[in-house]
Amino acid sequence: MKATSRETLTGWLLAAPLVAVLAFFLVLPIITIVIVSFWQATEFSIVPAFSFENYEFLFGSAVTWKVFAATFRYAFITWALTLAIGFTVAYYLAFHIRSQNIQIALFLLCTIPFWTSNIIRMISWIPFLGRNGLANQTLVHWGMIDEPLEWLLYSDFSVILAFVHLYTLFMVVPIFNTMMRIDRNLLEAARDNGASGFQTLVHVILPLTKPGIMIGTIFVLTLVMGDFITVRFMSGSQSANVGRLISNDIGLLQYPSASATAVVLLCTLLIVIGILLRFVNIRKEL
């Protein structure tokens, strides 16, 4: 009994520095945001008085519902595209590339875009998709279109394209990691029992890859729903999401309103993540 108590105490002491860091840099800021969300604000000052005014305005505004709907639309479309691309890339690397050195080389090739900042990678699409950009000039030159396509840039298409470009790797990595852990004897057993390649994919590989898919889903949804700079630049300020709504409030020094929106967004993400975690246990992947 004494040995067990001593081991427990030792474990807590070892975890104390990490707990302190998380409490100071994660828990304390969230508590502060929640508290400020109940304050009031005027054009010139913030009044630390408890009030539901910010939440009443938030849920009573039609603009808020439209912005949240747009945020979910961006998140869902981006998730679907990154999942399709990420699963395909991970599957190819894990099951079709036999050499470990080539696997590492191709995987590192996927990370090359991350050697630059997100903003640079995002802005690089603007001269490519613009009215006089390479994409439109090529299509006109090939005779596929008569005049430049206006919707290639500063539209929902360009926003989603940028999201997919920025966040696909966050789907590739966990799926690839999960696929590499799959026992190859299971695949051989499926083939020996007459399963086709598609049947093996659906009934063996896909179920065993669910933890990686869920981890990638959490990454992508969290990043997309919290992003604001991509929507601002790639839509030409014609579209908005929750992140941009928060950014605008901060720019106007409306910190209580921004905090209330942030709290609602955080709760929404936690609900979504909670639902996802009910479908698969990802603890074995962490």
Side-chain angles (χ1 to χ4, degrees):
M1 181 67 69
K2 291 183 179 180
T4 303
S5 300
R6 189 179 297 109
E7 291 176 358
T8 303
L9 179 60
T10 303
W12 278 107
L13 290 176
L14 292 174
L18 178 60
V19 172
V21 170
L22 291 177
F24 185 78
F25 290 103
L26 179 63
V27 179
L28 182 60
I30 291 176
I31 294 175
T32 302
I33 291 173
V34 173
I35 293 174
V36 173
S37 70
F38 291 101
W39 289 0
Q40 298 176 347
T42 65
E43 296 181 358
F44 308 102
S45 64
I46 297 177
V47 182
F50 185 86
S51 173
F52 288 101
E53 179 182 297
N54 298 312
Y55 291 98
E56 291 174 355
F57 176 79
L58 190 64
F59 290 110
S61 173
V63 174
T64 300
W65 294 102
K66 291 181 180 179
V67 169
F68 268 88
T71 302
F72 275 105
R73 184 176 71 252
Y74 287 142
F76 177 77
I77 297 175
T78 303
W79 166 78
L81 294 175
T82 55
L83 176 59
I85 298 172
F87 188 91
T88 303
V89 172
Y91 180 85
Y92 178 77
L93 290 177
F95 297 110
H96 288 274
I97 303 299
R98 303 299 181 185
S99 171
Q100 186 176 10
N101 292 332
I102 297 178
Q103 278 183 342
I104 295 174
L106 292 176
F107 187 79
L108 291 176
L109 185 64
C110 294
T111 67
I112 288 179
F114 282 77
W115 296 357
T116 59
S117 70
N118 280 10
I119 296 178
I120 294 176
R121 286 186 287 141
M122 174 187 59
I123 293 178
S124 66
W125 284 105
I126 295 178
F128 181 81
L129 299 174
R131 180 178 178 82
N132 297 317
L134 180 62
N136 271 316
Q137 287 183 352
T138 301
L139 292 174
V140 171
H141 179 72
W142 287 350
M144 300 179 66
I145 56 175
D146 297 326
E147 58 183 16
L149 300 174
E150 299 289 347
W151 53 266
L152 287 182
L153 186 62
Y154 302 139
S155 62
D156 286 345
F157 170 80
S158 59
V159 172
I160 292 172
L161 178 64
F163 275 144
V164 172
H165 175 216
L166 293 174
Y167 301 134
T168 295
L169 190 62
F170 290 94
M171 187 68 79
V172 173
V173 173
I175 294 177
F176 174 73
N177 182 56
T178 306
M179 286 183 175
M180 290 301 294
R181 298 184 183 186
I182 295 177
D183 188 351
R184 296 315 191 256
N185 291 327
L186 295 176
L187 306 183
E188 293 294 336
R191 296 192 191 98
D192 292 342
N193 283 277
S196 64
F198 180 77
Q199 289 175 324
T200 302
L201 174 65
V202 173
H203 298 291
V204 179
I205 297 176
L206 191 58
L208 295 175
T209 313
K210 283 183 180 179
I213 293 175
M214 288 301 168
I215 294 174
T217 298
I218 292 172
F219 283 157
V220 171
L221 291 181
T222 303
L223 291 168
V224 172
M225 295 185 72
D227 187 282
F228 71 94
I229 195 70
T230 303
V231 176
R232 177 184 176 184
F233 280 103
M234 298 307 294
S235 71
S237 297
Q238 299 180 46
S239 301
N241 66 343
V242 179
R244 192 176 172 206
L245 193 64
I246 297 172
S247 176
N248 289 343
D249 283 338
I250 293 175
L252 296 172
L253 303 181
Q254 297 295 311
Y255 297 114
S257 178
S259 298
T261 307
V263 170
V264 173
L265 176 61
L266 177 60
C267 292
T268 303
L269 280 171
L270 290 177
I271 292 172
V272 172
I273 292 173
I275 293 173
L276 292 175
L277 293 180
R278 291 183 65 87
F279 288 98
V280 63
N281 181 17
I282 64 173
R283 290 184 178 180
K284 59 183 180 180
E285 294 293 318
L286 299 177

